[in-house]
Amino acid sequence: MSKDRILMAHGSGGLMSQRLIEGLFKEHWHNEYLDQMLDGAVLNVPAGRIAMSTDSFVITPIFFPGGDIGKLAVCGTVNDLLACGAKPMYLTVGMIIEEGLDMEELRRIVASMAETARQAGVSIVSGDTKVVEKGSADKIFINTTGIGHVAEGVDYRPARMQEGDTVIVTGFVGDHGLSVLAQREGLRFSTLALSDCAALVEIAEIAASYGDRVRCMRDPTRGGLATVLNELAGQAGRSIVVREQDIPVSPVVQGACDMLGMDPLYMANEGKFVIVVDESAAESLLDKIQGTPTGQNARIIGSVSQAGRANVRIVTPLGAERILGMLEGEHLPRIC
Amino acid sequence: MSKDRILMAHGSGGLMSQRLIEGLFKEHWHNEYLDQMLDGAVLNVPAGRIAMSTDSFVITPIFFPGGDIGKLAVCGTVNDLLACGAKPMYLTVGMIIEEGLDMEELRRIVASMAETARQAGVSIVSGDTKVVEKGSADKIFINTTGIGHVAEGVDYRPARMQEGDTVIVTGFVGDHGLSVLAQREGLRFSTLALSDCAALVEIAEIAASYGDRVRCMRDPTRGGLATVLNELAGQAGRSIVVREQDIPVSPVVQGACDMLGMDPLYMANEGKFVIVVDESAAESLLDKIQGTPTGQNARIIGSVSQAGRANVRIVTPLGAERILGMLEGEHLPRIC
């Protein structure tokens, strides 16, 4: 018997689409909003500001150690909302599926999204599914767009960074990048390279408790830590100085990078924040972050320098200083 | 000299991504929110309910008579929000681009999105761009997700439909479907088959002025008029009866359908609403809709029947009645 697979008609907008929605999506994701079945969802949101963020996920392979494209799609947008200072509330899901996708793989992805959304405290409220012919996409692409409420007074614009502020990274860098690379290339290391893919709700809540002493947060995904630091420096119009030996890198990532000639500072993360915080609050914030399951390996990695030059400088263990640029070219395609 | 094309590095999240954002997206779409350049946008929204809707667009070809994938992507989500009773405010754009896409084509799409958004009164506030290898997608896929404000008391749930309510369609059906089919297959007709792709803000505003006498609205896209009528009937738990000769079909669509053996009631529309309205307001509403550029060919096509059977019945010119089902199978893939 042939396996149950996605057919073009599942994207027709007709009967087969309806069956997919009723039999799969609503089964796993159901909530009062999704169940409205309008052309969209009508949502209750508190008065005030709303953060909105979108991300499309095209990762290959779609299952990897530590996650899958569905978990990644929920975590990615949740983390972006958190980095805007929002409490994530609602997600939409837009899927583009290649004809012939194994229905069981889709089911695992949908279930993974449901579980991740539940843990992160968000509801999937509306969706859309398109199917394209075999060869016109690669298995499945998922867009998630989310909105969240931004509490009064919260302002995480990088322009708020001040001279002397402390820069924290909430854990080992490069884990997601190595996990996907290893899975794709069939590399084996002494330790399994697990993606850090996670929704960082708890860490964001801790940061929020520090009020305006937390200046800004950003999640260092595709371009890695180095690229995000450059974005922050550019947007703040300030230098950031980091110390190479203080940047946390796991032994497996460090070993693989040494072997393969890669730099963990440009490798993707999917469960990390860079947090810029007032120096006076840094140690206390770090301590609390280290008490969370996803923040155990958090470190203070550097500080914000004077306004003027908007660059990132890295100090080597021997005390030499060099410019740490943004990612140039393409490190590892389709990492998220 | 080789043409300017999209490279894998444009999706890296690094320097080339930043140049694409700065040099193209921000150039065309700029506004105070997009210019924040956070991981998302922090938006001001009025207190109350928010509608949220998402759609991914995978249409081929990406340029067609009457529109392009960019215009379609803006109109599609704007119309979905309007159909929820919302005033569309903000859109996010997630692009998945195939390596090698002609940069000039992307530029045209981005400009078209800017112009359509301006006309519809919405701002593109955040975006994401991924690039996949040649052969892993087909030119470009665009997700748009929008939010809009739902005024106090507005409720367009189909459950509000009552026996005797009037069903209006706001113009010729099947135009978008035929336009894309003709473009794809190289068909020529005596008249150019133009897509109806349009944002229906003006018609929605007119409908809103009728308060709760308008029961619900829906845009009959992929599955055509027949499918949307079935969705409404199913969600209301009521029959809908339409008269075949009252359904507006343009001569070019009717002629092509006769020739090709297709049914315009299952062909896609991208600038039409089905509106269910209290009978007492129907003629007045129709008259006003016909006074708009996109509503000139609006017609009353039928009415809502008693509760019980949730089906759609169509009365032929000779008075015979038959069940009009949802779209089964796939009519025309990748129509939106």
Side-chain angles (χ1 to χ4, degrees):
Chain A
M1 213 183 102
S2 73
K3 259 196 292 192
D4 198 11
R5 293 192 176 280
I6 284 287
L7 308 172
M8 290 303 290
H10 284 117
S12 66
L15 210 56
M16 293 282 281
S17 297
Q18 202 184 44
R19 284 187 190 146
L20 190 66
I21 293 168
E22 296 288 339
L24 181 58
F25 299 126
K26 282 181 70 174
E27 188 70 22
H28 284 275
W29 298 344
H30 65 90
N31 57 62
E32 60 176 313
Y33 300 112
L34 190 69
D35 297 349
Q36 289 171 349
M37 294 301 292
L38 302 176
D39 280 344
V42 177
L43 309 165
N44 297 311
V45 292
R49 292 170 304 156
I50 293 290
M52 185 173 192
S53 185
T54 192
D55 245 323
S56 295
F57 297 85
V58 299
I59 191 169
T60 181
I62 56 177
F63 298 95
F64 49 87
D68 60 76
I69 190 171
K71 178 181 179 186
L72 184 64
V74 172
C75 292
T77 291
V78 163
N79 289 343
D80 281 345
L81 291 172
L82 294 170
C84 293
K87 177 182 156 45
M89 299 179 69
Y90 304 117
L91 293 187
T92 58
V93 176
M95 290 190 177
I96 298 172
I97 308 179
E98 185 187 16
E99 178 188 18
L101 180 73
D102 183 346
M103 192 69 86
E104 187 49 38
E105 290 193 323
L106 180 60
R107 204 166 281 131
R108 281 171 61 195
I109 291 166
V110 169
S112 173
M113 296 185 82
E115 173 61 15
T116 311
R118 194 189 59 71
Q119 287 175 9
V122 295
S123 302
I124 296 172
V125 295
S126 199
D128 174 62
T129 305
K130 296 293 189 313
V131 180
V132 298
E133 315 86 332
K134 201 154 183 59
S136 289
D138 187 8
K139 292 194 171 173
I140 183 167
F141 301 147
I142 303 180
N143 175 282
T144 52
T145 304
I147 62 174
H149 181 250
V150 183
E152 186 78 29
V154 173
D155 178 2
Y156 282 176
R157 284 175 301 168
R160 292 187 56 252
M161 285 162 52
Q162 295 175 24
E163 184 172 352
D165 284 350
T166 300
V167 180
I168 292 173
V169 66
T170 63
F172 290 139
V173 299
D175 291 1
H176 179 72
L178 184 66
S179 160
V180 173
L181 177 68
Q183 175 80 352
R184 211 184 277 174
E185 307 295 339
L187 304 176
R188 295 277 172 279
F189 306 105
S190 54
T191 316
L192 184 64
L194 272 184
S195 169
D196 57 334
C197 181
L200 302 175
V201 178
E202 190 178 0
I203 289 178
E205 282 171 357
I206 291 170
S209 72
Y210 285 81
D212 66 2
R213 287 180 295 171
V214 166
R215 314 298 190 202
C216 60
M217 302 206 301
R218 194 65 63 96
D219 65 330
T221 55
R222 274 185 281 183
L225 177 66
T227 300
V228 151
L229 291 173
N230 273 278
E231 285 176 13
L232 290 175
Q235 290 172 24
R238 292 182 176 277
S239 284
I240 294 175
V241 182
V242 294
R243 291 170 303 277
E244 192 171 349
Q245 78 257 42
D246 292 343
I247 298 173
V249 182
S250 76
V252 61
V253 169
Q254 191 60 63
C257 283
D258 289 347
M259 193 174 77
L260 300 167
M262 300 193 312
D263 187 341
L265 304 192
Y266 292 96
M267 289 174 66
N269 311 278
E270 291 292 345
K272 298 287 143 51
F273 279 137
V274 171
I275 304 178
V276 181
V277 59
D278 185 303
E279 191 186 3
S280 69
E283 288 292 346
S284 154
L285 174 60
L286 178 69
D287 193 56
K288 288 193 187 157
I289 291 172
Q290 287 174 338
T292 69
T294 51
Q296 292 172 41
N297 300 300
R299 294 286 180 279
I300 289 173
I301 61 168
S303 60
V304 176
S305 187
Q306 75 285 3
R309 291 215 176 149
N311 62 14
V312 180
R313 303 200 302 274
I314 186 164
V315 182
T316 69
L318 297 175
E321 199 178 281
R322 62 181 171 89
I323 297 288
L324 185 70
M326 284 192 111
L327 175 64
E328 294 185 42
E330 172 57 296
H331 201 136
L332 196 58
R334 297 181 58 191
I335 192 71
C336 61
Chain B
M1 210 184 104
S2 73
K3 260 196 291 193
D4 199 11
R5 294 191 175 279
I6 284 287
L7 309 173
M8 290 304 291
H10 284 118
S12 66
L15 210 56
M16 293 282 281
S17 297
Q18 202 185 44
R19 285 188 191 145
L20 190 67
I21 293 167
E22 295 287 339
L24 182 58
F25 299 125
K26 282 180 71 174
E27 188 71 22
H28 284 275
W29 298 344
H30 64 92
N31 56 63
E32 60 175 313
Y33 300 112
L34 191 68
D35 297 349
Q36 290 171 349
M37 295 301 292
L38 302 176
D39 281 344
V42 177
L43 308 166
N44 297 311
V45 292
R49 292 170 304 156
I50 293 290
M52 185 173 192
S53 185
T54 191
D55 245 324
S56 295
F57 297 85
V58 298
I59 191 168
T60 181
I62 56 176
F63 298 95
F64 50 86
D68 59 76
I69 191 171
K71 179 181 177 185
L72 184 64
V74 173
C75 292
T77 291
V78 164
N79 290 343
D80 282 345
L81 291 172
L82 294 170
C84 293
K87 175 181 157 47
M89 301 180 67
Y90 304 116
L91 293 188
T92 58
V93 176
M95 290 190 177
I96 298 171
I97 308 178
E98 185 188 16
E99 178 187 18
L101 180 73
D102 183 347
M103 192 68 87
E104 187 49 39
E105 291 194 322
L106 180 60
R107 205 167 279 131
R108 283 170 62 195
I109 291 166
V110 169
S112 172
M113 297 186 81
E115 173 61 15
T116 311
R118 195 190 57 73
Q119 287 174 9
V122 294
S123 301
I124 296 171
V125 295
S126 199
D128 174 61
T129 304
K130 296 293 189 316
V131 180
V132 298
E133 315 86 331
K134 200 152 184 59
S136 290
D138 188 7
K139 291 194 171 173
I140 183 169
F141 302 147
I142 303 180
N143 176 281
T144 52
T145 304
I147 62 174
H149 182 249
V150 183
E152 185 78 30
V154 173
D155 179 2
Y156 282 175
R157 282 175 301 167
R160 291 188 55 252
M161 286 163 52
Q162 296 174 23
E163 185 171 352
D165 283 350
T166 299
V167 180
I168 291 173
V169 66
T170 64
F172 292 138
V173 299
D175 291 2
H176 179 73
L178 184 66
S179 161
V180 174
L181 177 68
Q183 176 78 355
R184 211 183 279 174
E185 307 295 339
L187 304 176
R188 294 279 173 277
F189 307 105
S190 53
T191 316
L192 183 64
L194 271 184
S195 169
D196 57 335
C197 181
L200 302 175
V201 178
E202 191 178 0
I203 289 179
E205 282 171 357
I206 291 170
S209 71
Y210 285 82
D212 66 3
R213 287 181 295 171
V214 165
R215 314 297 191 203
C216 61
M217 303 208 301
R218 195 64 63 96
D219 66 330
T221 54
R222 273 185 281 181
L225 178 64
T227 300
V228 150
L229 290 173
N230 273 278
E231 285 176 11
L232 290 175
Q235 289 172 24
R238 291 181 177 277
S239 284
I240 294 175
V241 183
V242 294
R243 290 170 304 276
E244 192 171 349
Q245 77 257 41
D246 292 343
I247 298 172
V249 182
S250 77
V252 61
V253 169
Q254 191 60 63
C257 283
D258 290 347
M259 193 173 77
L260 300 167
M262 299 194 312
D263 187 341
L265 304 191
Y266 292 96
M267 289 175 64
N269 311 277
E270 291 291 345
K272 298 289 142 50
F273 279 138
V274 172
I275 304 179
V276 180
V277 59
D278 185 303
E279 191 185 5
S280 69
E283 287 293 346
S284 155
L285 174 59
L286 179 69
D287 194 55
K288 288 192 187 159
I289 291 172
Q290 286 174 340
T292 68
T294 50
Q296 292 171 43
N297 300 300
R299 294 285 181 280
I300 289 173
I301 60 168
S303 59
V304 175
S305 187
Q306 74 285 2
R309 290 213 176 152
N311 62 14
V312 179
R313 302 199 303 273
I314 186 164
V315 182
T316 69
L318 296 175
E321 199 177 280
R322 62 181 171 88
I323 297 288
L324 184 69
M326 284 193 111
L327 175 64
E328 294 185 43
E330 173 56 295
H331 201 136
L332 196 58
R334 296 182 58 190
I335 193 69
C336 61

